[in-house]
Amino acid sequence: QMQLVEFGGGSVQAGGSLRLSCTPSRYTHSRYCMGWFRQAPGKEREGVAVIKWDGSTKYADFVKGRFTISQDNVKKTLYLQMNSLKPEDTAMYYCAAEPFCETLEFYEYTYWGQGTQVTVSS
């Protein structure tokens, strides 16, 4: 069973940047989608960005042009570079993975990390 551990959360002022990383273990094959999701207090979890095993990506409209998802092809570490952060980006950010992924969509993936907190102050 895959395990995911996130790093890189923290507190930053509006307009600042953070880089999240997610290290997967027990990566048993290559056809995964991996993604970042977030959940703010009192709100439902929402998709932020996902990347498919072929390198294609999908972003939520509210992060387009500000966030970039990428993956190290050797170590399979997943990254989320977050620029121009806004207070509304404050949330717990989760890394997730879906094996044998064929569609690049936001949905309830199979494997989840514990989450890392991102707080953006105005």
Side-chain angles (χ1 to χ4, degrees):
Q1 182 169 341
M2 177 180 273
Q3 294 179 336
L4 303 168
V5 180
E6 301 99 334
F7 299 93
S11 297
V12 65
Q13 289 190 327
S17 298
L18 283 174
R19 188 192 197 202
L20 306 183
S21 61
C22 171
T23 301
S25 63
R26 304 176 187 173
Y27 207 101
T28 57
H29 59 82
S30 59
R31 294 177 80 91
Y32 276 93
C33 283
M34 293 190 71
W36 293 97
F37 297 73
R38 71 186 188 185
Q39 187 168 20
K43 296 187 176 181
E44 292 187 352
R45 188 158 58 190
E46 58 185 358
V48 176
V50 293
I51 185 166
K52 193 177 174 184
W53 47 267
D54 62 1
S56 55
T57 57
K58 178 183 175 73
Y59 293 90
D61 288 343
F62 53 78
V63 302
K64 284 182 180 178
R66 300 189 299 126
F67 292 9
T68 302
I69 190 171
S70 61
Q71 188 170 24
D72 179 304
N73 288 330
V74 176
K75 297 183 178 180
K76 304 302 182 184
T77 301
L78 184 71
Y79 301 99
L80 185 69
Q81 178 66 44
M82 304 186 293
N83 299 326
S84 302
L85 282 160
K86 305 175 181 180
E88 51 264 44
D89 293 319
T90 295
M92 185 71 79
Y93 282 71
Y94 297 91
C95 172
E98 178 68 19
F100 304 109
C101 165
E102 293 300 332
T103 60
L104 200 60
E105 299 293 341
F106 298 125
Y107 56 92
E108 191 68 16
Y109 280 15
T110 299
Y111 301 111
W112 293 85
Q114 296 286 73
T116 184
Q117 178 68 36
V118 171
T119 303
V120 185
S121 58
S122 58

